[in-house]
């Protein structure tokens, strides 16, 4: 009974205190006021209903940040009060220190960084080597951290010395090696600042018509072909030597006919072939360069050529030695080139089947010439050019064996462009006109269309196609013929079935126009090569080739099939 009685007394006491207060409010003359709803109404701080500018606990210093939203809030400004003075206040520019720091990484205020979280069983990375570097697990917050390192990254690795790996403390960084585009190419050796690469090819096979006669007669043969290439590795200037030769020997000889007639082909058809040149460049300045070339060519007349004498014991060998000296000058994107050339051609005496010999001095001559070229770098990868050259040929003898004066003068004009489109199609393409006149009035001027091209199309990383076109004006000993205008076109396709297995298909066609005579020859050749690369030093090679010569003169059309197998040793 005591509980309820005490409860009633408490309620009576509350009402006795509340009724006088309500009476005083009712008789007060002051009108009632509504309370203003402010953002600080429900602020859980002391004096939460007091405005910040009226709060006795507000900051009195004027060094605070006046650039934030709170300082620009119209509800917090006293419009009737003048702006505070800036005298003596320390201004603050930009962002405060460490205001843009992320949850991890270096913090200029030395605050604790957020540690990376790892999955259960995950290998924890080592701590960073020093301040300022990000932990390995937090380098990319959007990337998923691997649970463990795949074993393939560390398995089956050939150990290398620390000096090769670059892990020796204090070791200077190693020079990055050049990318090797041909994993089975020759490595070569350095001799000072020169890189030397050498090779030797040994081939053997069978030719169904090595003399290129109307009545074919086959013979086995062998080929020995050495090569030597030397490159300079200089920051300025350049020197390149490219020497390639071969000797083809046949197992059969072809004695003269027993009926007393004279054969149009030699008895011994072994023949050498060598092509070499040494090119040099002297960089006088950034825009001026001096260029020079020395060249040597040793060969014989092609089998089946009308220039071959009848009744020969063996092919006479000729040599062509020459040089070029020129200068290149750049004027911004305009380039001018000029040069002078000199060449000397000498033939051996012809050995006949009856034991005698005849002189070929009437075929010896000197050639002096000059050339000029202007090109303009129109856009990156496209450089059109124009070229002109002229030369004079002076023979050792005024009259040849048939009584004709072979001294002549001529030249050519051509225009074209070099281009490079994303390394997919590169090369040079030009067209022009060539002409030559002779001192002998009985020899008609020789002239014709001149075409030249050297294109490389990289269709895929494993397949490439090449196209070559050349035009030349060759000397001849045929009576009444001024010269031979020869046009040659070649298409070649290379495909790598594997990096160590390559197939090459080649097709060549061309024309030989004997101006001053009715003779006109067309020649064709199709071949296929298969190269098996054992390693960088040993290649195996097989070749199958078919040759045709179609002449409008009866009795001069020939054909032949060649099969070869060989090995290439290179270093």
């Amino acid at each position: 009974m005591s509980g309820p009685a005490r409860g009633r007394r408490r309620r009576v006491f509350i009402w006795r205190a509340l009724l006088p207060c309500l009476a005083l409010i009712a008789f007060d003359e002051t009108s009632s006021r509504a309370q203003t709803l402010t953002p600080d109404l429900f602020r859980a701080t002391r004096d939460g209903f007091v405005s910040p500018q009226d709060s006795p606990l507000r900051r009195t210093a004027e060094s605070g940040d006046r650039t934030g939203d709170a300082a620009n809030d119209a509800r917090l400004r006293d419009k009737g009060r003048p702006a505070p003075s800036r005298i003596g206040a320390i201004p603050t520019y930009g962002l405060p220190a460490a205001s843009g720091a992320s949850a991890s990484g270096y913090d200029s205020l030395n605050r604790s960084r957020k540690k990376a979280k790892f999955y259960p069983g995950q290998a924890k990375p080592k701590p960073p080597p020093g301040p300022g570097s990000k932990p390995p697990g937090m380098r990319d917050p959007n990337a998923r951290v691997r649970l463990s390192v795949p074993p393939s990254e560390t398995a089956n690795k050939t150990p290398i010395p620390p000096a090769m790996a670059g892990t020796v403390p204090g070791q200077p960084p190693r020079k990055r090696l050049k990318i090797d585009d041909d994993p089975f190419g020759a490595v070569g050796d350095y001799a000072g600042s020169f890189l030397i690469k050498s090779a030797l090819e040994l081939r053997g096979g069978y030719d169904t018509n090595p003399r290129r006669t109307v009545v074919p007669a086959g013979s086995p043969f062998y080929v020995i072909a050495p090569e030597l290439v030397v490159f300079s590795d200089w920051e300025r200037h350049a020197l390149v030597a490219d020497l390639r030769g071969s000797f083809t020997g046949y197992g059969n000889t072809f004695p003269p006919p027993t009926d007393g007639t004279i054969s149009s082909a030699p008895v011994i058809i072994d023949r050498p072939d060598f092509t070499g040149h040494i090119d040099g460049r002297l960089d006088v300045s950034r825009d001026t360069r001096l260029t020079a070339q020395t060249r040597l060519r040793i060969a014989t007349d092609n089998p089946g050529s009308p220039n071959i004498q009848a009744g020969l014991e063996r092919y006479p060998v000729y040599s062509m030695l020459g040089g070029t000296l020129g200068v290149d000058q750049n004027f911004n994107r305009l380039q001018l080139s000029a040069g002078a050339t000199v060449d000397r051609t000498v033939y051996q005496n012809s050995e006949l089947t009856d034991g005698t010999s005849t002189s070929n001095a009437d075929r010896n001559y000197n050639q002096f010439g000059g050339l000029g070229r202007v090109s303009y770098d129109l856009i990156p990868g496209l450089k059109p050019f124009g070229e002109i050259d002229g030369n004079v040929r002076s023979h050792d003898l005024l009259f040849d064996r048939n009584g004709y004066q072979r001294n002549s003068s001529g030249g050519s004009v051509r225009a074209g462009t070099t281009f490079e489109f994303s390394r997919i199609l590169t090369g040079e393409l030009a067209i022009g006109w060539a002409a030559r006149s002779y001192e002998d009035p009985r020899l008609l001027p020789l002239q014709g269309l001149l075409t030249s091209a050297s294109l490389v199309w990289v269709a895929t990383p494993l397949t490439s196609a090449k196209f070559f076109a050349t035009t030349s004006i060759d000397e001849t000993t045929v009576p009444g013929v001024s010269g031979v205008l020869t046009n040659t076109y070649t298409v070649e396709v290379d495909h790598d079935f594997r990096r160590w297995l390559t197939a090459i298909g080649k097709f060549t066609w061309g024309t030989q126009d004997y101006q001053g005579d009715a003779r006109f020859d067309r020649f064709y050749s199709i071949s296929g090569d298969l190269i098996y690369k054992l390693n960088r030093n040993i290649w195996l090679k097989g070749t199958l080739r078919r040759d045709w010569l179609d002449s409008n003169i009866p009795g001069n059309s020939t054909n032949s099939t060649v099969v070869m197998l060989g090995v290439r040793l290179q270093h």
Side-chain angles (χ1 to χ4, degrees):
M1 294 298 178
S2 60
R6 286 195 298 269
R8 285 194 294 269
R9 281 196 296 269
R10 289 177 182 175
R11 289 194 292 270
V12 171
F13 177 77
I14 293 174
W15 281 106
R16 288 177 181 178
L18 183 61
L19 289 176
C21 294
L22 294 176
L24 292 176
I25 293 174
F27 291 100
D28 188 9
E29 296 179 357
T30 304
S31 59
S32 62
R33 299 176 181 176
Q35 183 178 352
T36 303
L37 184 62
T38 65
D40 300 325
L41 179 61
F42 302 102
R43 190 173 59 176
T45 58
R46 185 179 178 181
D47 300 328
F49 297 102
V50 182
S51 301
Q53 58 266 34
D54 298 332
S55 175
L57 300 179
R58 68 183 180 89
R59 297 177 59 182
T60 58
E62 300 299 333
S63 60
D65 185 12
R66 297 291 180 178
T67 62
D69 295 335
N72 297 326
D73 193 352
R75 297 173 299 176
L76 304 180
R77 283 186 290 181
D78 189 359
K79 298 183 179 180
R81 182 179 299 179
S85 176
R86 298 181 181 178
I87 300 177
I90 300 176
T92 302
Y93 301 99
L95 298 175
S99 62
S102 62
S104 62
Y106 176 74
D107 188 358
S108 60
L109 297 182
N110 200 22
R111 295 179 295 193
S112 61
R113 295 177 295 183
K114 183 179 179 181
K115 296 183 179 180
K117 296 182 180 180
F118 301 95
Y119 298 99
Q122 181 180 355
K124 296 182 179 181
K126 296 181 179 180
S133 60
K134 297 180 180 180
M138 298 298 295
R139 293 187 181 276
D140 188 1
N142 299 323
R144 184 176 180 180
V145 183
R146 295 184 301 180
L147 297 178
S148 62
V149 178
S152 59
E153 294 187 1
T154 56
N156 299 327
K157 297 287 185 177
T158 303
I160 59 176
M164 294 291 294
T167 58
V168 178
Q171 179 186 3
R174 293 177 57 85
K175 182 179 179 181
R176 186 181 296 273
L177 299 178
K178 298 180 180 179
I179 299 177
D180 191 358
D181 296 330
D182 188 1
F184 290 92
V187 178
D189 291 320
Y190 274 95
S193 59
F194 291 91
L195 176 60
I196 302 175
K197 295 184 179 182
S198 58
L200 176 64
E201 288 193 11
L202 303 174
R203 300 192 298 266
Y206 189 83
D207 191 340
T208 60
N209 190 7
R211 300 186 301 167
R212 301 301 188 268
T213 55
V214 178
V215 180
S219 172
F221 68 93
Y222 64 91
V223 179
I224 303 175
E227 299 178 8
L228 178 64
V229 182
V230 181
F231 306 91
S232 64
D233 191 9
W234 302 334
E235 185 176 354
R236 295 184 58 199
H237 319 303
L239 183 63
V240 178
D242 189 352
L243 310 176
R244 303 172 186 269
S246 67
F247 178 82
T248 305
Y250 291 87
N252 295 342
T253 58
F254 303 89
T258 57
D259 56 0
T261 58
I262 300 177
S263 174
S264 60
V267 176
I268 302 174
I269 57 177
D270 300 344
R271 50 196 180 98
D273 192 294
F274 175 82
T275 301
H277 59 89
I278 301 176
D279 302 325
R281 189 191 74 241
L282 181 64
D283 298 330
V284 180
S285 65
R286 186 185 66 177
D287 298 325
T288 305
R289 298 174 298 276
L290 298 178
T291 59
Q293 182 188 74
T294 300
R295 52 188 173 270
L296 175 63
R297 170 81 166 140
I298 298 176
T300 65
D301 290 324
N302 294 325
S305 172
N307 296 326
I308 298 177
Q309 297 174 254
L312 288 177
E313 180 69 21
R314 62 179 68 245
Y315 291 112
V317 179
Y318 72 86
S319 62
M320 297 177 61
L321 177 64
T324 301
L325 182 63
V327 59
D328 296 341
Q329 179 66 43
N330 290 345
F331 300 95
N332 199 354
R333 291 191 290 176
L334 180 66
Q335 180 178 359
L336 301 179
S337 303
T341 63
V342 56
D343 294 275
R344 170 68 175 171
T345 302
V346 178
Y347 279 81
Q348 287 183 341
N349 293 338
S350 298
E351 298 180 6
L352 305 179
T353 55
D354 58 2
T356 61
S357 64
T358 59
S359 175
N360 289 313
D362 58 338
R363 304 186 66 181
N364 303 340
Y365 66 92
N366 300 321
Q367 177 175 295
F368 306 93
L371 56 92
R373 179 184 176 118
V374 56
S375 59
Y376 185 77
D377 198 353
L378 188 61
I379 58 176
L382 186 63
K383 191 173 184 179
F385 67 89
E387 186 176 286
I388 183 172
D389 72 274
N391 57 73
V392 175
R393 294 177 181 176
S394 177
H395 288 71
D396 292 355
L397 301 180
L398 184 59
F399 296 93
D400 67 357
R401 65 194 66 182
N402 298 307
Y404 289 90
Q405 299 181 19
R406 292 289 177 178
N407 294 340
S408 62
S409 60
S412 63
V413 177
R414 63 176 187 152
T417 181
T418 60
F419 47 84
E420 177 181 345
F421 299 124
S422 303
R423 301 299 301 174
I424 296 178
L425 182 62
T426 60
E428 178 178 308
L429 186 65
I431 190 172
W433 188 261
R436 175 166 295 278
S437 59
Y438 297 84
E439 292 185 359
D440 197 317
R442 295 172 295 177
L443 299 177
L444 299 178
L446 191 154
Q447 54 188 357
L449 184 66
L450 184 150
T451 57
S452 63
S454 178
L455 308 178
V456 178
W457 175 39
V458 182
T460 67
L462 299 178
T463 305
S464 62
K466 304 175 183 178
F467 175 73
F468 305 99
T470 58
T471 300
S472 62
I473 297 178
D474 304 321
E475 294 284 319
T476 183
T477 60
V478 178
V481 177
S482 304
V484 184
L485 181 65
T486 304
N487 290 281
T488 306
Y489 309 93
T490 302
V491 175
E492 179 181 322
V493 179
D494 301 353
H495 179 72
D496 293 336
F497 297 102
R498 295 290 187 270
R499 290 296 182 185
W500 43 267
L501 185 61
T502 303
I504 303 175
K506 183 185 297 185
F507 178 66
T508 302
W509 76 99
T511 60
Q512 290 179 327
D513 185 8
Y514 293 80
Q515 297 197 3
D517 192 8
R519 179 165 180 169
F520 186 83
D521 294 347
R522 294 181 177 88
F523 56 90
Y524 309 92
S525 177
I526 184 171
S527 65
D529 297 338
L530 187 63
I531 302 176
Y532 178 65
K533 304 174 183 178
L534 296 177
N535 49 47
R536 286 184 177 269
N537 303 116
I538 303 177
W539 292 6
L540 301 180
K541 184 177 181 181
T543 303
L544 177 62
R545 189 179 76 240
R546 177 71 174 177
D547 301 331
W548 296 273
L549 177 64
D550 184 15
S551 178
N552 61 347
I553 303 299
N556 290 275
S557 298
T558 61
N559 58 76
S560 176
T561 302
V562 180
V563 179
M564 285 188 296
L565 292 175
V567 60
R568 177 183 175 89
L569 308 176
Q570 62 182 17
H571 181 69

